[in-house]
C-alpha cells in the first residue's frame, strides 16, 4: 500500500505481521512495479543521530514525518553465535557498558534465534533507545537469504523531530526480561527497567 507516495509495509496495527518475506532475484515479478521490496533498498532519508536529553546518551530521530507502517532502517551488525553472544554480554555486564546485542526469536517452539551485535560494525539502527511505549517496532525480514534482517518500522505516524525508539523486548517475537538497568523512557507505561533479551 502507498501512503503519500510511500510504500507502507505494515498497513494496519491490527494485522499482526510476524515476519516479512520480500520479493527477490528469484521472483518473476516486475521490479519497477513490485510493491514488496523496501527493506532491501536501505534506510529511509532524514534520520539523524543526536544527543538525546531524555536518555542522556545518543539517540536517533527523524527530521521528517513518517507514516505508520513505513520502514525506517535495519538493525544491522555482526551476526553472533549463541556462545559468542553470551561471552560478549558477560563482558558488557562486568564493565557496565551499553548493550547493543539484539536477539530475535522466531517460532517459539523451535526457537530460531538471530543475534545481531552492531557495537563494532553496524548502522544507525544501533542508536534507537528502548521505550516502554515506543513509536517503532521490529520485525524479521527476509530478502535474498534465509537469515532474517531485523527491520525497524513505524508503529504509528511519527512527527518530525520525534526520537525513534522500540521496545527491546517488544512483540511476540521476543523473549524479554528486565535487566535491572533503570529505564529513562519516561512513558506513563514505563516498567521502571530496561528489558533485555534472554539467551
Ligand atoms: C542500542 S544502545 C542505544 C543507543 C545508545 N543510547 C548510545 O548512546 O549509543 C542501548 C543502550 O542505550 C541505553 N538505553 C537505551 N534505552 C534506554 C532506556 N530506556 N533507559 C536508559 N538507558 C537506555 C542503555 O545504556 C543501553 O544499553
Amino acid at each position: 500500500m502507498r501512503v503519500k507516495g510511500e510504500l507502507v509495509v505494515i498497513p494496519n496495527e491490527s494485522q499482526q505481521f510476524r515476519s516479512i518475506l520480500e520479493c527477490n532475484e528469484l521472483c518473476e515479478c516486475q521490479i519497477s512495479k513490485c510493491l514488496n521490496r523496501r527493506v532491501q533498498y536501505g534506510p529511509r532519508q532524514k534520520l539523524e543521530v543526536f544527543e538525546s536529553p531524555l536518555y542522556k546518551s545518543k539517540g536517533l530521530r527523524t527530521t521528517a514525518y513518517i507514516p505508520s507502517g513505513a520502514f525506517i532502517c535495519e538493525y544491522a551488525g555482526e551476526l553472533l553465535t549463541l556462545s559468542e553472544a553470551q561471552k560478549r554480554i558477560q563482558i558488557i555486564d562486568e564493565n557496565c557498558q551499553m548493550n547493543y546485542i539484539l536477539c530475535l526469536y522466531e517460532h517459539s517452539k523451535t526457537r530460531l534465534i538471530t543475534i545481531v551485535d552492531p557495537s563494532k560494525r553496524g548502522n544507525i539502527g544501533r542508536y534507537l533507545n528502548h521505550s516502554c511505549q515506543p513509536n517503532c517496532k521490529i520485525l524479521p525480514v527476509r530478502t535474498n537469504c534465509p537469515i532474517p534482517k531485523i527491520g525497524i518500522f513505524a508503529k504509528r505516524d511519527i512527527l518530525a523531530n520525534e526520537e525513534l525508539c522500540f521496545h527491546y523486548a517488544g512483540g511476540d517475537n521476543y523473549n524479554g526480561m528486565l535487566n535491572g538497568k533503570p529505564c529513562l523512557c519516561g512513558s506513563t507505561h514505563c516498567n521502571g527497567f530496561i528489558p533485555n533479551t534472554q539467551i
Side-chain angles (χ1 to χ4, degrees):
M1 184 171 95
R2 285 192 186 276
V3 175
K4 293 182 188 161
E6 164 125 20
L7 187 58
V8 165
V9 182
I10 315 166
N12 186 337
E13 254 305 296
S14 63
Q15 287 178 269
Q16 287 299 320
F17 279 52
R18 285 180 181 265
S19 68
I20 293 171
L21 175 62
E22 289 200 343
C23 290
N24 56 47
E25 61 203 21
L26 300 175
C27 291
E28 290 178 359
C29 65
Q30 212 180 324
I31 295 184
S32 60
K33 292 195 177 153
C34 179
L35 293 179
N36 188 31
R37 295 169 189 258
R38 177 61 192 87
V39 175
Q40 59 195 267
Y41 296 141
R44 67 182 301 110
Q45 310 243 307
K46 305 204 169 155
L47 300 176
E48 189 175 74
V49 177
F50 76 118
E51 283 301 328
S52 168
L54 184 61
Y55 292 97
K56 300 179 176 56
S57 61
K58 289 192 171 54
L60 188 73
R61 69 183 168 199
T62 174
T63 59
Y65 164 80
I66 304 177
S68 177
F71 173 62
I72 293 169
C73 65
E74 209 186 308
Y75 194 90
E78 270 181 278
L79 281 173
L80 303 186
T81 60
L82 197 56
S83 59
E84 178 60 24
Q86 285 164 339
K87 264 190 243 161
R88 289 190 190 188
I89 287 172
Q90 197 181 339
I91 295 169
I92 288 166
D93 288 345
E94 282 168 7
N95 296 293
C96 300
Q97 293 166 336
M98 287 195 188
N99 183 6
Y100 293 89
I101 297 175
L102 180 62
C103 302
L104 173 73
Y105 288 86
E106 293 176 90
H107 312 297
S108 52
K109 283 194 183 130
T110 51
R111 278 177 59 101
L112 179 59
I113 309 177
T114 307
I115 308 174
V116 172
D117 181 5
S119 60
K120 297 190 184 82
R121 288 179 208 91
N123 71 342
I124 46 169
R126 62 178 260 162
Y127 294 109
L128 273 90
N129 287 305
H130 160 83
S131 172
C132 300
Q133 202 172 6
N135 50 14
C136 299
K137 66 187 281 184
I138 55 177
L139 277 179
V141 182
R142 290 182 171 80
T143 53
N144 278 309
C145 172
I147 299 172
K149 295 174 187 297
I150 301 179
I152 302 171
F153 297 88
K155 199 168 150 50
R156 58 163 172 78
D157 288 345
I158 301 174
L159 302 178
N161 298 319
E162 273 193 64
E163 176 161 357
L164 304 174
C165 34
F166 65 90
H167 196 294
Y168 283 4
D172 299 334
N173 294 317
Y174 304 92
N175 184 4
M177 63 175 191
L178 300 174
N179 77 351
K181 214 171 176 183
C183 178
L184 298 175
C185 81
S187 86
T188 47
H189 298 281
C190 183
N191 289 315
F193 295 94
I194 309 176
N196 212 346
T197 310
Q198 205 168 13
I199 49 173

